[in-house]
Structure formats: C-alpha cells, structure tokens
Amino acid sequence: DLLWIAVNQSFEHFRDLSTIYEFGCGTGQYLFDLSQVYPDKDLVGTDWTESSVALLGLMRAQGMRVQGTRFDFLKPEQGLKIASNAGVITIGALEQVGPNFRPFLNYLLEQGPALVHSQRRSTAGRGQVVLAGARDQGPDRGAVVGAAQLHRQ
C-alpha cells in the first residue's frame, strides 16, 4: 500500500520530538506503527468517535505509550494542549471537514507544534506535506497555513 509506505517513511521527521499527536486517528493504525518505531515517545490520538478512543485504550492496556481523547475538528477543545517539542500528524482527516478546516487550523496556530505532517489518503500528486518548524514560522505561521491550503484544493 503506497500510503502506508509514504507515511512510514515520514516517521523519521519525528525522531527528535518528545510527543506525537495524531488528529483524526481512526483505528490508531499509524499510532500503533509509531509506537513500534518510537516506543519511548508519548503518543496521543484524537478522534471524533468514542470507539477510536476505546481502541487506543486497548493499546495502552498492552503497554504502549498511547492515550486517546475525543476531538472535534469543527470545535477544537482548548483544554487539549499540545506539549512543547511535539509533532502533529493527520492522515486523511482534514478531507472529512471539507472547507470547514479553519477552526482546526486556528487551533494549530495557537498551539504551535514543532512539526506538522499532513497526508491525504491519496498519494498521487501533492498529497503529502511535511512542515518542519511550524512553531518558528513567525506570526502568520505560513507553513501551517500552507497545509490547510493544500487540503482545501
């Protein structure tokens, strides 16, 4: 599966980060993969559904450093703070909110993660974007805005 290969190749970008958040984690497949590559990192999965959070709880019960929480892209919880020296990954989730990505984008801008990796479900064309240093892009955080524009297309 080309998507799996592309995503797993991007994991090297998270090497120096302490925590990795996946927004729209679904079954937690990529968090599971990340836990195998980086067993010493804290992983946080967010999703709209309780069943996704429950699946992450099963991973945690097996000793993985994974926690899950519900998250609404349309109304991001300000209570969920992104840790310093953290990265964000989202794979095929922003497409589900269509043109209503702005609340999530604003949330990311406020939180300022060190790295954002956004991946469309399709690996064709411009499907992948890795944005190093999202926290350091100045007041407009141009790199994060670029990710939102990519997903809007």
Side-chain angles (χ1 to χ4, degrees), residues 57-112:
L58 294 173
M59 286 185 204
R60 187 173 187 84
Q62 294 297 313
M64 295 176 200
R65 293 178 62 170
V66 177
Q67 72 177 47
T69 187
R70 288 196 63 208
F71 186 87
D72 183 350
F73 277 101
L74 302 177
K75 298 177 187 171
E77 294 292 325
Q78 293 304 311
L80 179 61
K81 300 292 185 199
I82 296 177
S84 62
N85 195 35
V88 168
I89 187 168
T90 179
I91 303 165
L94 287 178
E95 291 84 346
Q96 296 178 37
V97 298
N100 302 314
F101 63 86
R102 182 65 60 183
F104 179 63
L105 174 62
N106 289 337
Y107 170 79
L108 286 179
L109 290 171
E110 290 169 9
Q111 297 289 317

Side-chain angles (χ1 to χ4, degrees), residues 105-140:
L105 174 62
N106 289 337
Y107 170 79
L108 286 179
L109 290 171
E110 290 169 9
Q111 297 289 317
L115 176 110
V116 175
H117 172 93
S118 183
Q119 175 82 42
R120 286 182 166 174
R121 285 275 179 211
S122 166
T123 57
R126 298 177 3 177
Q128 178 176 343
V129 64
V130 177
L131 306 165
R135 175 176 289 138
D136 301 322
Q137 294 297 319
D140 66 349

Side-chain angles (χ1 to χ4, degrees), residues 2-113:
L2 290 177
L3 177 62
W4 185 87
I5 293 169
V7 170
N8 281 274
Q9 288 293 317
S10 71
F11 287 173
E12 70 182 64
H13 297 286
F14 294 94
R15 178 181 53 251
D16 298 325
L17 303 175
S18 60
T19 306
I20 304 169
Y21 296 79
E22 182 180 5
F23 286 87
C25 67
T27 63
Q29 170 189 348
Y30 300 112
L31 289 170
F32 178 86
D33 292 346
L34 279 163
S35 74
Q36 303 305 298
V37 175
Y38 299 119
D40 59 326
K41 295 195 184 306
D42 293 319
L43 305 174
V44 180
T46 73
D47 203 275
W48 171 258
T49 66
E50 285 292 337
S51 58
S52 293
V53 174
L55 286 170
L56 298 179
L58 294 173
M59 286 185 204
R60 187 173 187 84
Q62 294 297 313
M64 295 176 200
R65 293 178 62 170
V66 177
Q67 72 177 47
T69 187
R70 288 196 63 208
F71 186 87
D72 183 350
F73 277 101
L74 302 177
K75 298 177 187 171
E77 294 292 325
Q78 293 304 311
L80 179 61
K81 300 292 185 199
I82 296 177
S84 62
N85 195 35
V88 168
I89 187 168
T90 179
I91 303 165
L94 287 178
E95 291 84 346
Q96 296 178 37
V97 298
N100 302 314
F101 63 86
R102 182 65 60 183
F104 179 63
L105 174 62
N106 289 337
Y107 170 79
L108 286 179
L109 290 171
E110 290 169 9
Q111 297 289 317

